[in-house]
Structure formats: structure tokens, C-alpha cells
Amino acid sequence: MTDKATPLGEAADAAEAVSNTKTLDVVARAGFAVMALLHIVVGAIAIALALGQPGEAEPTGAIEQLAANAWGPALMWAGMVACIGLALWQLSEATLRARHLPTKERIGKHISSGFLSVAYGSVSLTFGGFAVGLPGDSGESTRDVSAALLATPFGTVILSAIGLTIIGIGIYFILKGVRRGFKEELFHFDGSRRGRIIDALGVTGHVAKGIALILAGLLFVIAAAKHSPEESTGLDGSLKALREHPYGPYLLLAIGAGFICYGIFALVRSRFGRM
């Protein structure tokens, strides 16, 4: 008896059919657009930091900036719904659609799309917190979690593993950018001027995001090595630490510009991406 002939297989097929609805597709694309906007704002904040201005160069700081304008409450609710839709779409990618893939590809999809589902779900919770008047501080939350982990017997190992995982994701983004692996996600514009622009945005954006993630992961590893939770301050802390080095502001400017490029690329992904 094949897997599809079982009640479980039939239920999975029905759930997959639901996940392929136009409504989820539209909401997930809106989620990509929201994430694109956040990357553009984070990039602008990083550039401002390089120029000596205050700010929090991470998603919570970007959401706080968006919440401060006249349309803030509406944007918060819309962002929450869009990111929930994107998280659900990634979850369906990791589970329902991944079951049709060969074993090696299926495992990779479980890991990549599963991680993204959790990440987008976390962003949706941040939007929801601002929507109901409960803003958060990503750096402070990261330090609290790190302190709680280091207080446990295996906390150093776990925190190191978190840092190394983030570094690994950063390396993945760099390789994806250099190898132009992002082209698989798009309906291609090969050979056209528009295609060359999208290609340049994809390479620059993925490499810049990868570098930023590696820096953030290193802070977790350092915090674990020193048994010092205040060292783990997430993306914002890593970029601010970079500012203190002699050539740090120039690299920070480049990373900020790269995040803006990634954001523009993600906007293209939201419109022309394969779903």
C-alpha cells in the first residue's frame, strides 16, 4: 500500500491542497515584502550607525521605526498577518511539499524551511507585541536568553552551538550569493538589463547579510567562551562593536548598503518568486 493510500497520506494530501490556495500565496508574498522592507530599514539604520547616529540595526529596531509613524498600528497588524502567512507557507514547504523530494533534498528542506518558519514566526510575534503596545528589545532579550543558558550545566555548549549555527547560516548566505543560488527562487530575467540588476542585488545582498550573520554568531561563541552573556547582543550589538574598529565604519556602510540591496532583491522575490 502506498503512502498516499493510507488515511495519513490522504490527510497530508488534503492539507497540501489547502496550503496551495491563492490566499496563502498572496499573504506569503506580502510576508516577503514585509521582510524586504525590514531589511531596507535595518540597512538604513546600519548606515546611520556608521555615521555616528543612534539606532538599533536589527528587526526589532526596524519594526520600532515603522511603528513610530502615523500608520504605525495598521502596519503592525498587517506585518503580523503577513509574517504569519509566510511562516505557515515555509512550514508547508518543510513538511507537506518536502515529502515528495528525494531523501537528501527532503532533509535539507526540513532544516532550511523549518528554520525560516520559526524565524518568520518570531518576527510576527514582534509585530504583534508592538501592535498591542508591548515593544521589545532584541539585544536585551538575547542577553537574557544567553544568561539563562549559561546558568545551566550544558549552557556553554548550547550557546556555542547557537553561535556556530548562525555562523553556518551566514556562510550559507555568502555561498548562495557568490554561486547565485538565489536564481532558483525567481522567474529568471537572464540576459536582460533588469536581469543583470537583479543578479547584482542578489549577490551583494546575500553576501552582506552573510557577513552580518557571521559577526552576530561570533558574539555568541565569544559569550560562551568567556562565560559572559553580556557579550551576546545579536545583530545590533555585532554591528555596533564593528563601529569601534579602525575600518569598522566603512565596513558598516558597506553592510548597510548590502542590506538595502537584499531588501530590494526580496521585493523582487515577493513579486516574481517561485512559490
Side-chain angles (χ1 to χ4, degrees):
M1 181 181 293
T2 63
D3 190 42
K4 287 189 177 182
T6 66
L8 183 60
E10 292 174 358
D13 288 341
E16 183 178 352
V18 171
S19 73
N20 287 329
T21 58
K22 183 67 175 178
T23 299
L24 183 58
D25 180 271
V26 170
V27 177
R29 287 184 185 278
F32 276 120
V34 168
M35 295 305 299
L37 179 59
L38 292 184
H39 278 86
I40 291 171
V41 176
V42 168
I45 295 173
I47 291 173
L49 288 175
L51 299 176
Q53 301 299 313
E56 291 184 40
E58 39 79 41
T60 302
I63 293 172
E64 184 178 16
Q65 294 279 340
L66 295 175
N69 68 66
W71 294 91
L75 283 174
M76 295 303 99
W77 289 113
M80 184 186 74
V81 171
C83 288
I84 288 174
L86 185 53
L88 290 174
W89 180 79
Q90 288 289 357
L91 182 61
S92 69
E93 285 282 293
T95 54
L96 300 172
R97 281 183 279 276
R99 64 199 174 98
H100 303 300
L101 300 173
T103 302
K104 185 177 179 181
E105 293 179 30
R106 184 169 67 248
I107 293 173
K109 201 66 175 174
H110 287 334
I111 296 171
S112 61
S113 291
F115 173 83
L116 287 172
S117 178
V118 173
Y120 295 142
S122 175
V123 175
S124 74
L125 288 175
T126 303
F127 270 111
F130 275 92
V132 298
L134 297 172
D137 185 323
S138 178
E140 185 176 335
S141 299
T142 303
R143 285 190 293 270
D144 290 343
V145 171
S146 299
L149 283 174
L150 290 175
T152 64
F154 298 101
T156 300
V157 175
I158 295 172
L159 197 61
S160 297
I162 292 173
L164 291 173
T165 299
I166 295 173
I167 290 171
I169 295 170
I171 293 172
Y172 164 78
F173 266 91
I174 291 174
L175 292 177
K176 184 177 180 180
V178 172
R179 295 173 177 173
R180 292 167 170 77
F182 52 83
K183 283 191 172 184
E184 300 174 0
E185 302 170 353
L186 295 169
F187 294 106
H188 294 174
F189 299 108
D190 291 338
S192 67
R193 181 172 178 269
R194 180 168 58 177
R196 290 191 295 273
I197 293 173
I198 292 171
D199 184 71
L201 290 170
V203 173
T204 304
H206 280 81
V207 170
K209 184 170 181 176
I211 292 171
L213 287 171
I214 289 172
L215 292 173
L218 282 173
L219 288 186
F220 280 98
V221 174
I222 292 170
K226 292 184 176 180
H227 208 79
S228 175
E230 60 271 13
E231 298 279 354
S232 59
T233 51
L235 178 61
D236 179 63
S238 66
L239 295 181
K240 286 177 177 173
L242 184 65
R243 186 174 56 180
E244 305 304 319
H245 292 274
Y247 295 100
Y250 301 104
L251 183 54
L252 193 52
L253 282 171
I255 290 174
F259 262 78
I260 292 173
C261 287
Y262 185 89
I264 297 172
F265 169 83
L267 278 176
V268 175
R269 169 79 173 85
S270 72
R271 174 63 180 85
F272 299 105
R274 299 181 187 276
M275 301 293 284

